[in-house]
Amino acid sequence: DVKAHTGELFARLDMPHSIFVKGYVGLGSIGSGKPNDEDWGIGGNISYSNTVSDIKTGYLGYATVDVGYDLLKGTGYKVGPFIGYTFFTQRQDINGCVQIASATFPCLAPGNDRLVGTQDTTWNAMRLGTAAEVALGHGMRLNVDAAYLTQV
C-alpha cells in the first residue's frame, strides 16, 4: 500500500550502422504507505509478532542505459539485442507501530508517531536482452523490451 509519485524521461538514439543507445531515468517521492512486519520465533513467551506502521516520507530513483544492434530492420519495424545496466534506489522512513497479533508484545502507545525504522534498498544489475519496435500507424509505435538481469 505504498503511494509514490514519479517523473520519468526516456530516449532512444539510432546511430549509423544499426547501433542504438536507449535509456530512461526516473525520480520520485513516497508520501504514504502501511508496511507490515511479521516476526516468528522471537523468544520467551512471544512466538509471533505482526505490526503495522506508517510511511511518512521517502524517495525513489532509477535509471537504465542499453546499447544494442538492430539485427532485423525493415519498413515499420526493428529488432535487436542489447546489453545494459540498471540502477534502482528507494528509501522509506517508517513511523509509529501498532501490534495486530500479540497482546504480550506491545509496540508503541497509540498515537506515538516517532521514527521506528528506515528501509533502504539499492539494486545494481547488468541487462542482456532484446528490443523490438513496430509501427502501428497514425504516428504510433509499440516498443517492447525483454531482458535478463543479473545483480552486480
Side-chain angles (χ1 to χ4, degrees), residues 42-48 102 104-105:
I42 297 169
N45 313 359
I46 305 161
S47 60
Y48 176 70
S102 173
T104 60
F105 188 62

Side-chain angles (χ1 to χ4, degrees), residues 22-36:
K22 64 182 184 62
Y24 57 89
V25 61
L27 293 171
S29 64
I30 298 172
S32 67
K34 295 261 186 218
N36 182 256

Side-chain angles (χ1 to χ4, degrees), residues 13-143:
L13 301 171
D14 290 307
M15 300 188 194
H17 310 294
S18 298
I19 295 171
F20 65 86
V21 177
K22 64 182 184 62
Y24 57 89
V25 61
L27 293 171
S29 64
I30 298 172
S32 67
K34 295 261 186 218
N36 182 256
D37 181 22
E38 291 184 275
D39 297 302
W40 288 267
I42 297 169
N45 313 359
I46 305 161
S47 60
Y48 176 70
S49 170
N50 188 347
T51 61
V52 176
S53 299
D54 288 313
I55 297 173
K56 296 293 183 185
T57 60
Y59 64 85
L60 58 100
Y62 50 92
T64 295
V65 64
D66 300 317
V67 176
Y69 179 78
D70 286 323
L71 282 177
L72 303 173
K73 199 172 185 180
T75 304
Y77 73 91
K78 49 188 155 185
V79 179
F82 65 79
I83 186 167
Y85 169 80
T86 190
F87 169 79
F88 174 84
T89 186
Q90 173 180 304
R91 178 187 170 112
Q92 302 171 359
D93 292 328
I94 301 166
N95 296 72
C97 182
V98 175
Q99 179 64 250
I100 59 175
S102 173
T104 60
F105 188 62
C107 225
L108 297 174
N112 189 333
D113 202 26
R114 74 175 183 227
L115 182 67
V116 295
T118 297
Q119 181 176 343
D120 283 312
T121 303
T122 300
W123 293 351
N124 290 284
M126 294 299 296
R127 295 166 39 95
L128 184 59
T130 301
E133 179 179 297
V134 62
L136 300 175
H138 304 292
M140 295 192 319
R141 294 179 303 199
L142 174 65
N143 296 302

